[in-house]
Amino acid sequence: MIESEPSPEPKSKQKGRKCGCMRMKVVNDLKAETLNETVSTAVDAESTGIVDASKSHEKLNEVLENVEKNVVKPEDAPKLLPWVHIAIANAKSRLLNLYHGVKQEYLQYYLDEFVYKFNRKYYVDTLFERLMIASASYRPTFLH
């Protein structure tokens, strides 16, 4: 999920929308109920969701006031949701090239790291200090 808004004056090479914060969550299935639960915990109910016409999005209007469902050909999907596709491609590339393999049990942690850096892309000068504060105050939920 990526927060975005239309760009006031998109230039020729820019996407049509400005990118805000992002959230990635590992889900076990693509059922509408699972998606609704995930969206309801992460997105304000008054937000507008721009989605494709997937079966997973059928009941999304139960948790969001406005849902724009668009029937899109697969090759046109990056035009409808450009930042979602860019983020997914970048995360996949990072996981495959940097880590060469990720265990399922740790996938959410890798995605959390990617999201942390993505959401702070404009605050690079304080990234390390903020990461140290976050890691020092974090209590792990897994056992070795």
Side-chain angles (χ1 to χ4, degrees):
M1 296 173 271
I2 295 188
E3 171 188 50
S4 68
E5 59 185 48
S7 293
E9 297 176 17
K11 297 183 175 92
S12 61
K13 297 250 181 200
Q14 284 184 332
K15 308 297 175 205
R17 303 187 67 80
K18 285 182 10 180
C19 176
C21 290
M22 171 178 57
R23 176 119 184 224
M24 289 184 159
K25 176 88 169 113
V26 176
V27 293
N28 296 326
D29 56 54
L30 294 175
K31 294 179 182 175
E33 294 79 21
T34 305
L35 183 68
N36 282 3
E37 181 182 322
T38 304
V39 170
S40 66
T41 60
V43 180
D44 184 20
E46 296 176 0
S47 300
T48 299
I50 302 173
V51 298
D52 57 11
S54 168
K55 293 229 184 237
S56 303
H57 302 134
E58 283 180 346
K59 299 178 182 178
L60 202 53
N61 53 1
E62 294 175 5
V63 293
L64 295 178
E65 283 185 16
N66 304 313
V67 179
E68 293 178 19
K69 296 179 184 174
N70 302 291
V71 177
V72 183
K73 296 177 188 172
E75 62 270 10
D76 293 336
K79 295 176 186 171
L80 174 67
L81 302 167
W83 287 108
V84 171
H85 290 274
I86 289 169
I88 290 170
N90 288 349
K92 282 172 59 176
S93 173
R94 181 179 184 85
L95 292 175
L96 292 173
N97 295 330
L98 187 60
Y99 300 114
H100 304 293
V102 175
K103 288 185 178 180
Q104 179 67 30
E105 64 182 306
Y106 300 117
L107 179 58
Q108 186 62 54
Y109 295 110
Y110 287 105
L111 292 177
D112 289 345
E113 176 196 1
F114 177 79
V115 167
Y116 182 88
K117 290 178 179 177
F118 184 93
N119 288 342
R120 287 153 184 83
K121 61 187 170 287
Y122 301 116
Y123 308 104
V124 178
D125 53 338
T126 60
L127 184 63
F128 182 76
E129 289 82 6
R130 296 296 306 153
L131 182 60
M132 289 284 86
I133 292 169
S135 63
S137 62
Y138 178 73
R139 185 173 282 230
T141 57
F142 58 87
L143 299 174
H144 291 292

